[in-house]
């Protein structure tokens, strides 16, 4: 029996052309939707990446600003230290020039006695510095300094004689000569190596050690005197 074309198309699905047909407009819409989805996902990822990079950059900028502030503070400290060093150098140069001037005067006048003193201005400045140095030891060592003449000073020591005679005051007198050196004038009670200690002071310029040694000599003097007195009695 022969079948018509309409019967064959309805019975054989492979011959159903309408079932596999897709509208091109629909395909275009699907493709456009898929493209937009991919673009949106890609844009979202790029946005997140750029946001992360921006945050890192901002953090780095903050760190750099903090480092710059620290460097500026350090630079300010360095400038301040340099300024202080310049002031100190200027002061030392001035002192050096004064000493050179005094030395040249001595060399030009070899017959000048060592008793000749510095100018009043220089001597006053020098002895003022010494007074400030000794002032630091007043409470610690019971010392007081006083100017006796324009070129001399006297160190007064309290408490060296012990509890037996606490009111006794020991003293030593120094003179500052033209050469910028100290001279031993007198010491009460007498210290056998007083002149040697003064020479050592001239070599080192260490007033603190000189004060400690002189005080120790005074204390030792009264200790020996007490020991001798106890043996005699």
């Amino acid at each position: 029996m022969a079948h018509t074309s309409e019967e064959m198309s309805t019975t054989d699905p492979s011959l159903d052309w309408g079932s596999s047909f897709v509208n091109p407009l629909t395909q275009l819409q699907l493709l456009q939707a898929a493209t937009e989805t991919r673009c949106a996902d890609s844009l979202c990822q790029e946005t997140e990446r750029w946001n992360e990079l921006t945050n890192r950059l901002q953090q780095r900028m903050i760190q750099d600003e903090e480092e710059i502030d620290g460097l500026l503070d350090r630079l300010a400290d360095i400038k301040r230290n340099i300024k202080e060093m310049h002031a100190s150098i200027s002061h030392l140069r001035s002192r050096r020039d004064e000493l050179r001037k005094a030395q040249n005067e001595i060399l030009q006048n070899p017959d000048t006695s060592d008793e000749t003193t510095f100018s009043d201005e220089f001597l006053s400045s020098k002895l003022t510095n010494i007074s400030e140095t000794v002032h630091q030891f007043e409470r610690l060592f019971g010392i007081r300094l006083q100017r006796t003449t324009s070129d001399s000073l006297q160190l007064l020591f309290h408490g060296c004689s012990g509890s037996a005679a606490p009111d006794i005051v020991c003293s030593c007198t120094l003179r500052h000569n033209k050469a910028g050196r100290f001279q031993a004038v007198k010491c009460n009670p007498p210290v056998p190596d007083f002149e040697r200690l003064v020479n050592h002071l001239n070599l080192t310029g260490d007033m603190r050690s000189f004060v400690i040694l002189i005080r120790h000599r005074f204390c030792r003097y009264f200790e020996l005197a007490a020991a001798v007195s106890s043996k005699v009695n």
Side-chain angles (χ1 to χ4, degrees):
M1 179 183 294
H3 297 282
T4 63
S5 60
E6 292 180 358
E7 292 176 347
M8 293 177 63
S9 62
T10 56
T11 57
D12 189 357
S14 62
L15 298 177
D16 188 4
W17 299 98
S19 62
S20 60
F21 176 78
V22 179
N23 190 339
L25 181 59
T26 302
Q27 286 185 340
L28 181 60
Q29 291 175 347
L30 292 174
L31 180 61
Q32 184 177 2
T35 303
E36 290 178 353
T37 301
R38 287 195 295 268
C39 289
D41 293 340
S42 177
L43 180 61
C44 183
Q45 293 176 357
E46 288 295 324
T47 302
E48 291 179 355
R49 188 169 68 88
W50 279 109
N51 288 337
E52 183 179 358
L53 291 175
T54 302
N55 291 333
R56 290 182 180 178
L57 182 60
Q58 289 178 348
Q59 292 177 357
R60 181 62 183 272
M61 291 176 62
I62 293 174
Q63 293 176 356
D64 291 343
E65 289 178 355
E66 292 177 352
E67 291 180 359
I68 291 173
D69 291 339
L71 291 174
L72 290 176
D73 292 339
R74 185 176 179 184
L75 180 61
D77 292 338
I78 292 174
K79 288 183 177 180
R80 182 170 57 254
N81 292 335
I82 291 175
K83 184 177 180 180
E84 293 175 355
M85 291 178 64
H86 281 313
S88 178
I89 290 173
S90 298
H91 176 69
L92 292 175
R93 284 177 177 172
S94 177
R95 293 288 303 277
R96 179 199 62 187
D97 294 340
E98 291 175 350
L99 292 175
R100 284 180 176 177
K101 182 179 179 181
Q103 184 181 22
N104 291 333
E105 291 178 357
I106 293 174
L107 293 176
Q108 293 173 1
N109 301 282
D111 296 333
T112 302
S113 172
D114 285 342
E115 299 297 325
T116 306
T117 60
F118 278 105
S119 64
D120 292 340
E121 182 179 355
F122 178 81
L123 182 62
S124 177
S125 175
K126 181 70 175 179
L127 295 184
T128 298
N129 292 336
I130 296 173
S131 299
E132 293 175 354
T133 301
V134 175
H135 180 71
Q136 301 174 6
F137 312 131
E138 285 186 356
R139 292 185 178 181
L140 183 60
F141 299 120
I143 300 172
R144 187 167 62 88
L145 182 143
Q146 64 182 12
R147 296 272 293 274
T148 55
T149 62
S150 61
D151 62 343
S152 299
L153 54 86
Q154 187 178 47
L155 295 172
L156 303 176
F157 295 80
H158 299 266
C160 298
S161 56
S163 58
D167 296 332
I168 295 179
V169 179
C170 304
S171 65
C172 68
T173 304
L174 303 174
R175 179 180 294 117
H176 210 246
N177 63 20
K178 184 72 175 180
R181 296 170 60 85
F182 288 105
Q183 289 181 322
V185 178
K186 64 179 179 179
C187 197
N188 184 32
V191 172
D193 59 345
F194 177 45
E195 188 171 353
R196 184 183 67 83
L197 294 177
V198 174
N199 291 334
H200 183 72
L201 171 63
N202 289 322
L203 291 175
T204 62
D206 189 353
M207 178 61 73
R208 180 179 183 275
S209 296
F210 175 77
V211 168
I212 293 174
L213 290 173
I214 288 293
R215 179 177 176 79
H216 179 267
R217 297 295 193 277
F218 287 148
C219 292
R220 184 60 178 165
Y221 173 88
F222 287 103
E223 289 175 358
L224 293 175
V228 172
S229 177
S230 63
K231 288 183 179 180
V232 171
N233 295 332

